[in-house]
């Protein structure tokens, strides 16, 4: 799969990673356990088997103009995964600017191969992931650990595409941010 993702500025990144760590410290399989060197908090706008050949250049132009984008995280979402497992995420408020950007990304990806139906306009629920696939008991533990989860406002400052086959990221819209946050030492 190939994705289009928006990534957090340094302070927003740290705040999301702190929630990952809270879950991990409580025994929940959070995204703090993902050791891929490119893994970081992100908002996925699109996912497909393969983008059209002209899409990266067009996405570069679109995303260079669209970012930075301020978003608010509010509430927890639980998505179905395989075999009764669930994924816990932090919901992103779908502002007009975010919905328009999502729509414009999919206009560029109109001819993409095998678009993931969870990310197409009208079906997409904007979110930042918090956990991997959890059993019902682990999901209950995650909710207990987080309690009344507070809202958080942050800034998405960069965009990238991740290619799951090559296991590589490509920055979109601009070069890789110079101030990319480092992963905590224990990850």
């Amino acid at each position: 799969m190939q994705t289009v993702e928006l990534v957090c500025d340094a302070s927003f990144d740290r705040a999301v990673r702190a929630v990952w760590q809270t879950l991990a410290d409580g025994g929940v399989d959070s995204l703090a356990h993902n050791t891929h060197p490119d893994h970081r908090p992100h908002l996925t706008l699109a996912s497909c088997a393969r983008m059209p050949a002209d899409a990266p250049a067009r996405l570069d132009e679109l995303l260079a103009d669209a970012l930075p984008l301020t978003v608010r995280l509010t509430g927890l979402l639980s998505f179905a995964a395989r075999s009764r497992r669930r994924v816990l995420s932090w919901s992103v408020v779908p502002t007009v600017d975010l919905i328009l950007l999502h729509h414009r990304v999919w206009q560029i990806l109109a001819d993409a191969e095998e678009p993931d139906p969870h990310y197409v306009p009208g079906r997409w629920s904007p979110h930042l992931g918090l956990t991997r696939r959890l059993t019902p008991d682990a999901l209950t533990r995650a909710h207990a650990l987080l309690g009344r989860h507070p809202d958080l406002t942050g800034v998405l400052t960069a965009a990238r595409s991740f290619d799951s086959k090559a296991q590589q990221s490509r920055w979109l819209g601009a070069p890789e941010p110079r101030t990319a946050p480092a992963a905590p030492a224990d990850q």
Side-chain angles (χ1 to χ4, degrees):
M1 298 300 288
Q2 295 178 327
T3 64
V4 176
E5 303 170 355
L6 304 180
V7 297
C8 306
D9 71 6
S11 63
F12 195 24
D13 185 278
R14 282 190 301 273
V16 174
R17 286 180 190 271
V19 174
W20 290 355
Q21 197 59 51
T22 295
L23 292 166
D25 291 347
V28 173
D29 191 10
S30 80
L31 292 178
H33 296 114
N34 186 326
T35 59
H36 190 281
D38 286 344
H39 183 66
R40 60 197 293 182
H42 64 275
L43 169 63
T44 303
L45 296 175
S47 181
C48 59
R50 189 203 298 283
M51 292 182 195
D54 67 336
R58 293 176 63 202
L59 288 167
D60 280 342
E61 184 178 328
L62 170 65
L63 294 164
D65 290 339
L67 297 172
L69 181 66
T70 300
V71 296
R72 192 175 94 226
L73 305 180
T74 184
L76 298 174
L77 296 173
S78 177
F79 294 104
R82 294 181 214 129
S83 68
R84 291 191 56 226
R85 293 181 181 257
R86 309 285 297 176
V87 175
L88 190 64
S89 298
W90 209 342
S91 177
V92 177
V93 174
T95 63
V96 171
D97 288 341
L98 181 58
I99 296 300
L100 288 174
L101 176 59
H102 180 251
H103 179 73
R104 291 178 69 199
V105 164
W106 278 103
Q107 285 177 324
I108 292 170
L109 299 178
D111 295 325
E113 293 178 22
E114 301 176 38
D116 184 327
H118 295 104
Y119 293 97
V120 297
R123 304 236 8 235
W124 177 61
S125 292
H127 64 279
L128 270 70
L130 297 175
T131 70
R132 298 188 202 206
R133 295 177 183 103
L134 302 178
T135 64
D137 288 343
L139 183 63
T140 300
R141 187 168 48 252
H143 279 283
L145 287 165
L146 296 178
R148 168 69 179 100
H149 199 55
D151 289 1
L152 176 67
T153 298
V155 181
L156 301 167
T157 55
R160 68 180 184 182
S161 176
F162 183 73
D163 184 322
S164 63
K165 185 175 181 180
Q167 290 291 298
Q168 293 181 338
S169 294
R170 176 197 183 278
W171 291 98
L172 298 168
E176 178 176 1
R178 289 191 184 121
T179 58
D186 63 343
Q187 285 190 12

